[in-house]
Amino acid sequence: MVRKPTSKETVRKPNMREAILAAAEELFATNGFNAVSVRDIAQAAGANPGSVTYHFKTKDGLLLEIYRRHCGPMNLRRSELLAAAKRVRDLQDRLEAIVRAYVVPAFTSGSDLAGGGARFTRLRAVMSAEGNEVARKIIAQTFDDTSHAFIDAIHESLPHIPRTDIVWRSHFLLGALYYSLVTPERVSRLSRGEADGGDAANAIEQLVQATVAAFQAPALDQAAPARRRPVVSSKT
């Protein structure tokens, strides 16, 4: 015998969990984590606050799930590409393959959950800038293992560059990746229309080549003396 749904079950939205996730992602990406309440999320999703706590327990749990659903597939793809890149014998080609393994999934996953496209990238940028301790822990939990793997692989390709320098340059790569995905129209505007900031293939190539060159630059403590700024005396 088929059980008939109760009146409460009849009106319950079958995709309420997804609606809550989508609403939270949009609000966090626009307003940050601190400024958004569970009530705000529920209202945007057409739900009641109890539905949010039922599915995700807390606002922290909701943010963690947003990161998991986007970054799990992206990190997996990055790991697959990294494993292939590390098998490249030529060190120059290997370095380029490693950087490409990091960059490509963020662009090619824009239309599905893996990577999340511009909205999730904007959310990541906002969370990083906001400095919220909850977000900081979630970011570390989600990305640190993969980031260490890439930094180590780059260091193996460039053993003469200190690992700390590679960490800094990886940090700059992440900032460039955020900006390229979130504000592609800036490239179109500043190039006066000669470049299409929305051209993902070109953006990938530009970012990969610029990053490879940055990684290959001399270490900070190996820079030519003429390139260093002179020390200005504080004496008058």
Side-chain angles (χ1 to χ4, degrees):
M1 179 177 179
V2 178
R3 183 179 67 87
K4 293 183 179 180
T6 65
S7 58
K8 183 179 293 187
E9 290 172 329
T10 302
V11 299
R12 181 181 296 164
K13 295 181 180 180
N15 295 319
M16 180 55 69
R17 189 175 188 276
E18 292 298 313
I20 292 170
L21 280 168
E25 187 176 325
E26 181 62 37
L27 289 172
F28 291 154
T30 304
N31 303 310
F33 183 78
N34 296 330
V36 176
S37 69
V38 169
R39 186 173 295 278
D40 293 332
I41 296 167
Q43 183 176 4
N48 61 66
S51 295
V52 179
T53 55
Y54 172 78
H55 286 291
F56 304 102
K57 307 299 182 186
T58 64
K59 190 172 73 164
D60 299 1
L62 181 50
L63 182 63
L64 176 59
E65 180 60 24
I66 290 172
Y67 268 82
R68 280 177 174 168
R69 73 200 301 260
H70 286 302
C71 299
M74 183 169 67
N75 283 338
L76 178 60
R77 182 58 179 154
R78 279 177 168 165
S79 296
E80 292 170 347
L81 292 174
L82 177 60
K86 290 170 69 174
R87 293 194 292 269
V88 176
R89 299 184 64 180
D90 181 82
L91 290 181
Q92 171 72 23
D93 292 342
R94 184 192 305 169
L95 177 60
E96 182 172 326
I98 291 169
V99 173
R100 194 179 301 279
Y102 187 85
V103 170
V104 167
F107 280 88
T108 58
S109 302
S111 61
D112 54 35
L113 288 181
R119 184 173 68 180
F120 181 63
T121 303
R122 185 170 69 247
L123 182 150
R124 290 173 59 191
V126 170
M127 293 299 104
S128 297
E130 194 174 50
N132 179 277
E133 185 60 29
V134 171
R136 187 179 293 114
K137 289 180 179 178
I138 290 174
I139 291 168
Q141 178 181 336
T142 305
F143 290 110
D144 277 8
D145 288 346
T146 303
S147 296
H148 278 300
F150 273 90
I151 290 168
D152 290 343
I154 293 167
H155 193 208
E156 290 172 6
S157 299
L158 297 168
H160 60 287
I161 303 294
R163 192 178 187 278
T164 52
D165 285 23
I166 293 172
V167 169
W168 273 111
R169 295 169 193 186
S170 300
H171 194 60
F172 301 149
L173 166 59
L174 185 58
L177 187 59
Y178 281 162
Y179 213 64
S180 298
L181 285 165
V182 174
T183 60
E185 70 281 355
R186 190 170 187 270
V187 172
S188 304
R189 186 177 73 252
L190 293 181
S191 67
R192 296 189 174 95
E194 293 184 13
D196 178 7
D199 183 345
N202 190 36
I204 289 169
E205 291 307 312
Q206 294 283 358
L207 189 51
V208 168
Q209 296 305 318
T211 302
V212 168
F215 278 128
Q216 292 177 321
L220 194 60
D221 61 0
Q222 299 169 358
R227 295 175 59 190
R228 295 179 177 173
R229 290 187 177 184
V231 177
V232 179
S233 174
S234 60
K235 295 180 180 180
T236 57

